[in-house]
Amino acid sequence: MLPLQIERLIKEAEAARKKALAPYSKFTVGATLMTSGGKIYHGCNIENPSLMLSFCAERAALISALVEGEKEFKALAIVSGSKDYCFPCGACRQMLAEFAPEIELYLASEKGIKKFSIAELLPHQFKKI
Ligand code: THU
Protein backbone atom coordinates (compact mmCIF):
# COMPACT_ATOMS: atom_id res chain seq x y z
CA MET A 1 0.00 0.00 0.00
CA LEU A 2 1.24 3.49 -0.84
CA PRO A 3 1.52 5.96 2.06
CA LEU A 4 -1.16 8.15 0.45
CA GLN A 5 -3.56 5.21 0.22
CA ILE A 6 -2.95 4.34 3.87
CA GLU A 7 -3.60 7.96 4.87
CA ARG A 8 -6.85 7.94 2.93
CA LEU A 9 -8.01 4.74 4.62
CA ILE A 10 -7.25 6.18 8.03
CA LYS A 11 -9.04 9.47 7.25
CA GLU A 12 -12.10 7.55 6.12
CA ALA A 13 -11.97 5.35 9.22
CA GLU A 14 -12.04 8.56 11.31
CA ALA A 15 -15.16 9.63 9.43
CA ALA A 16 -16.75 6.20 9.95
CA ARG A 17 -15.92 6.40 13.66
CA LYS A 18 -18.18 9.45 13.93
CA LYS A 19 -21.11 7.18 13.03
CA ALA A 20 -20.40 4.75 15.88
CA LEU A 21 -23.37 3.95 18.11
CA ALA A 22 -21.57 3.35 21.39
CA PRO A 23 -23.62 4.92 24.20
CA TYR A 24 -22.72 2.16 26.68
CA SER A 25 -18.93 1.91 26.37
CA LYS A 26 -18.46 5.42 24.91
CA PHE A 27 -15.55 3.80 23.06
CA THR A 28 -15.97 4.60 19.38
CA VAL A 29 -14.18 2.69 16.64
CA GLY A 30 -14.03 3.22 12.88
CA ALA A 31 -12.72 0.90 10.18
CA THR A 32 -12.08 1.15 6.45
CA LEU A 33 -11.71 -1.99 4.40
CA MET A 34 -10.17 -1.89 0.94
CA THR A 35 -10.71 -4.71 -1.53
CA SER A 36 -7.96 -5.88 -3.89
CA GLY A 37 -9.83 -4.03 -6.64
CA GLY A 38 -9.64 -0.77 -4.67
CA LYS A 39 -13.27 -0.57 -3.50
CA ILE A 40 -13.80 0.77 -0.03
CA TYR A 41 -16.21 -0.30 2.70
CA HIS A 42 -16.68 1.30 6.10
CA GLY A 43 -17.63 0.08 9.55
CA CYS A 44 -18.23 1.48 13.00
CA ASN A 45 -19.12 -0.19 16.28
CA ILE A 46 -22.79 -0.61 17.03
CA GLU A 47 -23.85 -1.36 20.58
CA ASN A 48 -27.04 -2.73 22.05
CA PRO A 49 -28.42 -2.61 25.62
CA SER A 50 -28.08 -6.39 25.55
CA LEU A 51 -24.33 -5.79 25.58
CA MET A 52 -23.31 -9.13 24.12
CA LEU A 53 -25.01 -8.12 20.87
CA SER A 54 -22.61 -5.23 20.34
CA PHE A 55 -20.86 -5.29 17.01
CA CYS A 56 -17.29 -4.23 16.23
CA ALA A 57 -16.31 -1.76 13.52
CA GLU A 58 -14.03 -4.27 11.79
CA ARG A 59 -16.71 -6.91 11.41
CA ALA A 60 -19.25 -4.28 10.31
CA ALA A 61 -16.91 -3.29 7.44
CA LEU A 62 -16.13 -6.90 6.56
CA ILE A 63 -19.76 -7.94 6.51
CA SER A 64 -20.85 -5.00 4.39
CA ALA A 65 -18.18 -6.01 1.84
CA LEU A 66 -19.09 -9.71 1.98
CA VAL A 67 -22.78 -9.03 1.37
CA GLU A 68 -21.77 -7.14 -1.79
CA GLY A 69 -19.97 -10.27 -2.98
CA GLU A 70 -16.43 -9.08 -2.34
CA LYS A 71 -13.92 -11.89 -1.94
CA GLU A 72 -10.41 -10.40 -2.13
CA PHE A 73 -9.20 -7.92 0.46
CA LYS A 74 -6.10 -5.75 0.55
CA ALA A 75 -6.14 -3.60 3.67
CA LEU A 76 -8.06 -2.64 6.79
CA ALA A 77 -7.49 0.56 8.75
CA ILE A 78 -8.69 0.80 12.36
CA VAL A 79 -8.99 3.91 14.52
CA SER A 80 -10.54 4.58 17.92
CA GLY A 81 -10.82 7.37 20.46
CA SER A 82 -8.04 5.86 22.51
CA LYS A 83 -4.56 7.38 22.71
CA ASP A 84 -3.24 3.90 22.02
CA TYR A 85 -3.65 1.53 19.09
CA CYS A 86 -6.96 -0.33 18.91
CA PHE A 87 -6.20 -3.96 18.19
CA PRO A 88 -9.06 -6.03 16.73
CA CYS A 89 -10.79 -8.30 19.24
CA GLY A 90 -10.49 -12.08 19.03
CA ALA A 91 -13.79 -12.51 17.20
CA CYS A 92 -12.78 -10.01 14.51
CA ARG A 93 -9.38 -11.66 14.14
CA GLN A 94 -11.05 -15.03 13.60
CA MET A 95 -13.41 -13.62 10.97
CA LEU A 96 -10.62 -11.81 9.17
CA ALA A 97 -8.53 -15.00 9.24
CA GLU A 98 -11.39 -16.81 7.52
CA PHE A 99 -12.31 -14.24 4.87
CA ALA A 100 -9.22 -12.05 4.48
CA PRO A 101 -6.18 -14.06 5.61
CA GLU A 102 -3.69 -11.97 3.62
CA ILE A 103 -5.07 -8.57 4.59
CA GLU A 104 -2.75 -5.76 5.73
CA LEU A 105 -3.93 -4.24 8.99
CA TYR A 106 -3.13 -0.57 9.68
CA LEU A 107 -3.71 0.57 13.25
CA ALA A 108 -3.62 4.33 13.72
CA SER A 109 -3.50 6.43 16.86
CA GLU A 110 -1.79 9.60 17.98
CA LYS A 111 1.29 7.38 18.45
CA GLY A 112 1.47 6.82 14.70
CA ILE A 113 0.59 3.96 12.36
CA LYS A 114 1.45 0.31 12.85
CA LYS A 115 1.11 -2.46 10.30
CA PHE A 116 0.23 -6.05 11.22
CA SER A 117 -0.77 -9.24 9.46
CA ILE A 118 -3.49 -11.63 10.58
CA ALA A 119 -0.85 -14.36 10.94
CA GLU A 120 0.88 -12.17 13.55
CA LEU A 121 -2.30 -11.35 15.45
CA LEU A 122 -3.92 -14.77 15.29
CA PRO A 123 -1.42 -17.60 15.16
CA HIS A 124 -2.90 -21.09 15.31
CA GLN A 125 -6.36 -19.90 14.31
CA PHE A 126 -9.33 -22.23 14.59
CA LYS A 127 -9.97 -24.18 11.41
CA LYS A 128 -12.59 -26.86 10.89
CA ILE A 129 -10.74 -29.64 9.12
N1 THU B 1 -14.70 -2.54 19.52
C1 THU B 1 -14.56 -2.45 18.16
O1 THU B 1 -15.46 -1.97 17.46
N2 THU B 1 -13.40 -2.90 17.61
C2 THU B 1 -12.32 -3.37 18.31
O2 THU B 1 -11.31 -3.69 17.73
C3 THU B 1 -12.41 -3.49 19.77
C4 THU B 1 -13.69 -3.12 20.39
C5 THU B 1 -15.92 -2.02 20.11
C6 THU B 1 -16.83 -3.01 20.76
C7 THU B 1 -17.54 -2.14 21.77
O3 THU B 1 -18.61 -1.45 21.13
C8 THU B 1 -16.48 -1.13 22.18
O4 THU B 1 -15.57 -1.09 21.13
C9 THU B 1 -15.69 -1.50 23.41
O5 THU B 1 -16.45 -1.77 24.50
Side-chain angles (χ1 to χ4, degrees):
M1 290 276 288
L2 299 168
L4 266 178
Q5 286 179 303
I6 299 167
E7 250 175 59
R8 177 185 168 200
L9 290 191
I10 292 166
K11 254 201 186 138
E12 294 201 15
E14 283 293 359
R17 184 167 83 87
K18 296 206 172 86
K19 296 184 184 148
L21 302 171
Y24 305 104
S25 71
K26 308 214 183 310
F27 187 85
T28 55
V29 186
T32 312
L33 177 65
M34 194 171 118
T35 67
S36 302
K39 263 193 97 175
I40 278 179
Y41 293 86
H42 301 105
C44 60
N45 55 328
I46 299 164
E47 297 181 350
N48 188 277
S50 175
L51 295 175
M52 277 165 40
L53 299 181
S54 295
F55 214 78
C56 292
E58 298 90 323
R59 269 178 295 155
L62 180 61
I63 283 173
S64 72
L66 291 171
V67 298
E68 295 303 325
E70 301 291 355
K71 299 252 185 295
E72 305 284 332
F73 301 101
K74 174 82 183 145
L76 176 69
I78 306 164
V79 300
S80 78
S82 166
K83 289 181 196 305
D84 214 331
Y85 299 103
C86 178
F87 282 85
C89 78
C92 289
R93 292 179 199 202
Q94 181 67 37
M95 274 206 59
L96 288 164
E98 183 65 27
F99 295 107
E102 304 301 328
I103 201 161
E104 298 168 22
L105 299 168
Y106 293 96
L107 275 46
S109 78
E110 63 184 36
K111 292 185 171 176
I113 301 168
K114 273 195 173 175
K115 181 182 175 188
F116 293 92
S117 67
I118 287 294
E120 278 176 288
L121 295 189
L122 189 68
H124 310 295
Q125 76 203 58
F126 170 71
K127 277 186 187 150
K128 188 167 175 292
I129 305 165

